[in-house]
Amino acid sequence: GEDVEQSLFLSVREGDSSVINCTYTDSSSTYLYWYKQEPGAGLQLLTYIFSNMDMKQDQRLTVLLNKKDKHLSLRIADTQTGDSAIYFCAELGGFQKLVFGTGTRLLVSP
Amino acid sequence: ETGVTQTPRHLVMGMTNKKSLKCEQHLGHNAMYWYKQSAKKPLELMFVYNFKEQTENNSVPSRFSPECPNSSHLFLHLHTLQPEDSALYLCASSLTGTAMNTEAFFGQGTRLTVV
């Protein structure tokens, strides 16, 4: 079955780069996503990557996909305190079934 | 604002109560979802509706009963819940049936506490 794993916690200093990692198991996943959840809010799509790509850059965000190892990462450059949130990795497996990881809580200190 | 609205935002209920969670979207989406978010656990998909038809029930106990009267509204009826059902319940919607990226839009969730 599908399984998506992430580390639970990451702490960085403001201005540093953050790298959040994710591993997934469904090799037939067509899309992989990063969602952000701020306190008291629902999930908001940050970025996504199609499975035939290995990198996608969107302003401060860089997504790397290693399909062979089923590893996805999200790099946030110049991390700001406003980036503090929970980041969820998700894969689109099956019929419209989004499978999420546990989420990584990113804490950015000044 | 994501275009997906959930009410209420917070709910406290006793184990013998009956309550309902409501979700609505006016994004023209045809698929709606219920997810359960518990601390330190992955987001769990509970139910999926496509064009008002339930297409997935992820082995959810019968004390949770979904209802989708139309493509814009989704309910989750709750009765005789247990304290371990306390969680954040998230509704989402998306446009399905195309080859394009199917971004899911999430509501802010209902924080449910069962006492």
Side-chain angles (χ1 to χ4, degrees):
Chain A
E2 306 102 337
D3 195 17
V4 178
E5 293 188 355
Q6 300 178 239
S7 52
L8 287 178
F9 192 73
L10 176 66
S11 180
V12 301
R13 288 193 180 277
E14 195 172 21
D16 288 350
S17 291
S18 308
V19 180
I20 303 172
N21 294 301
C22 169
T23 56
Y24 61 97
T25 56
D26 188 351
S27 57
S28 65
S29 295
T30 50
Y31 288 97
L32 293 129
Y33 304 83
W34 284 105
Y35 280 83
K36 178 182 180 183
Q37 185 181 31
E38 295 184 3
L43 278 68
Q44 196 159 16
L45 182 68
L46 264 185
T47 186
Y48 66 93
I49 189 166
F50 189 50
S51 58
N52 69 352
M53 299 167 65
D54 48 28
M55 188 181 95
K56 180 178 179 182
Q57 188 143 6
D58 183 1
Q59 299 182 332
R60 292 190 297 123
L61 305 178
T62 304
V63 179
L64 294 178
L65 175 61
N66 181 330
K67 212 174 169 190
K68 174 176 166 286
D69 295 338
K70 299 191 188 71
H71 183 264
L72 183 74
S73 68
L74 173 70
R75 179 176 179 270
I76 306 173
D78 187 26
T79 315
Q80 303 298 307
T81 53
D83 294 324
S84 294
I86 304 176
Y87 291 80
F88 290 88
C89 166
E91 62 173 348
L92 188 65
F95 181 68
Q96 303 305 324
K97 187 175 175 180
L98 269 177
V99 180
F100 287 84
T102 52
T104 299
R105 184 177 294 275
L106 174 65
L107 179 64
V108 183
S109 52
Chain B
E1 286 297 324
T2 62
V4 179
T5 305
Q6 288 187 245
T7 53
R9 292 291 309 277
H10 300 272
L11 178 62
V12 179
M13 60 186 287
M15 289 190 280
T16 57
N17 291 160
K18 285 186 182 182
K19 296 284 184 186
S20 296
L21 309 186
K22 181 182 175 184
C23 175
E24 62 182 298
Q25 57 88 10
H26 299 287
L27 301 168
H29 291 166
N30 57 302
M32 296 187 79
Y33 315 78
W34 280 116
Y35 283 86
K36 177 183 177 183
Q37 185 179 18
S38 306
K40 297 181 183 175
K41 290 175 70 175
L43 267 172
E44 300 169 60
L45 178 64
M46 299 174 74
F47 302 104
V48 181
Y49 278 81
N50 272 283
F51 295 101
K52 304 186 298 177
E53 298 296 320
Q54 188 180 126
T55 54
E56 183 140 357
N57 175 337
N58 227 19
S59 303
V60 180
S62 58
R63 58 186 184 270
F64 294 91
S65 173
E67 180 191 359
C68 188
N70 54 61
S71 293
S72 300
H73 292 87
L74 184 66
F75 295 89
L76 188 62
H77 303 300
L78 316 170
H79 64 99
T80 58
L81 294 193
Q82 305 297 311
E84 60 265 28
D85 296 323
S86 299
L88 182 69
Y89 289 84
L90 289 162
C91 172
S93 70
S94 70
L95 190 63
T96 66
T98 74
M100 302 296 289
N101 171 38
T102 54
E103 176 183 349
F105 289 78
F106 282 80
Q108 293 183 296
T110 295
R111 172 70 61 189
L112 174 69
T113 304
V114 181
V115 297

